[in-house]
Amino acid sequence: MFRGPPKLVRVTYLYLFIVMKKQLFLISLVLVTVFLNGCATIFSGSRQTVRIESYPPGANIEIDGISHGITPATVSMRKSLNATSVVLTKEGYQTKLFSPSQEFDLVGILNIFFWPGFIIDAVNGSMMRFDSPYYQIKLEPVSEAVSSSGTNK
């Protein structure tokens, strides 16, 4: 009477099945990750490091309403299809608001081969890049003719 393969062979088949299942899961995970990212997301990311300096130094930096330290500073800014607003404030000086200009990141051209990547790069802003990695902003002093109450002296 046939009783099937020996116990050692059954354990080996089970082990191979588990190992192959794990490898198939990892391969699937890598493929999903690659195919759900655009070329610009993979190669240049959705953030860019820029240097912000002010004259005089010591101004508070706010990027899209979130504090990012005091000038001079190197900050990581999120790339976006929308304009990013940077606000510099320092006591005794006028508040300075500026929006760093952005341009199309040429790595996004590679999405011509995979159009869903174009959509992904557009949604997360990776297809754009700030055109300058360095911003130097001059702060203007508050006029001494106006007192803190807003009336003229």
Side-chain angles (χ1 to χ4, degrees), residues 92 94 141-153:
Q94 295 177 8
V142 173
S143 174
E144 292 181 19
V146 177
S147 69
S148 62
S149 64
T151 59
N152 290 337
K153 289 185 178 180

Side-chain angles (χ1 to χ4, degrees), residues 1-10 13:
M1 176 161 76
F2 181 72
R3 292 194 253 171
K7 185 177 180 181
L8 180 62
V9 173
R10 285 188 301 228
Y13 284 141

Side-chain angles (χ1 to χ4, degrees), residues 19-32:
V19 168
M20 288 174 45
K21 190 174 177 182
K22 284 182 181 180
Q23 288 176 346
L24 183 62
F25 175 75
L26 290 174
I27 290 170
S28 300
L29 187 64
V30 167
L31 289 175
V32 165

Side-chain angles (χ1 to χ4, degrees), residues 41-146:
T41 303
I42 293 170
F43 293 114
S44 61
S46 61
R47 301 187 76 78
Q48 183 176 341
T49 302
V50 297
R51 177 91 174 152
I52 300 175
E53 294 183 0
S54 68
Y55 178 79
N60 294 316
I61 304 169
E62 276 189 24
I63 301 172
D64 291 332
I66 300 171
S67 179
H68 283 272
I70 297 173
T71 61
T74 302
V75 296
S76 177
M77 292 177 40
R78 185 163 185 72
K79 298 187 276 184
S80 172
L81 291 177
N82 302 325
T84 300
S85 67
V86 178
V87 179
L88 299 180
T89 55
K90 182 174 174 78
E91 189 173 326
Y93 292 86
Q94 295 177 8
T95 298
K96 184 73 172 188
L97 169 69
F98 73 97
S99 293
S101 57
Q102 298 183 65
E103 58 187 19
F104 182 74
D105 191 349
L106 292 177
V107 174
I109 295 279
L110 296 175
N111 285 322
I112 199 166
F113 301 115
F114 184 66
W115 65 267
F118 182 82
I119 295 169
I120 292 165
D121 285 346
V123 168
N124 69 17
S126 296
M127 67 181 350
M128 303 303 285
R129 69 181 184 96
F130 296 105
D131 60 353
S132 175
Y134 178 75
Y135 296 93
Q136 189 172 24
I137 308 299
K138 185 175 191 292
L139 300 175
E140 301 294 328
V142 173
S143 174
E144 292 181 19
V146 177

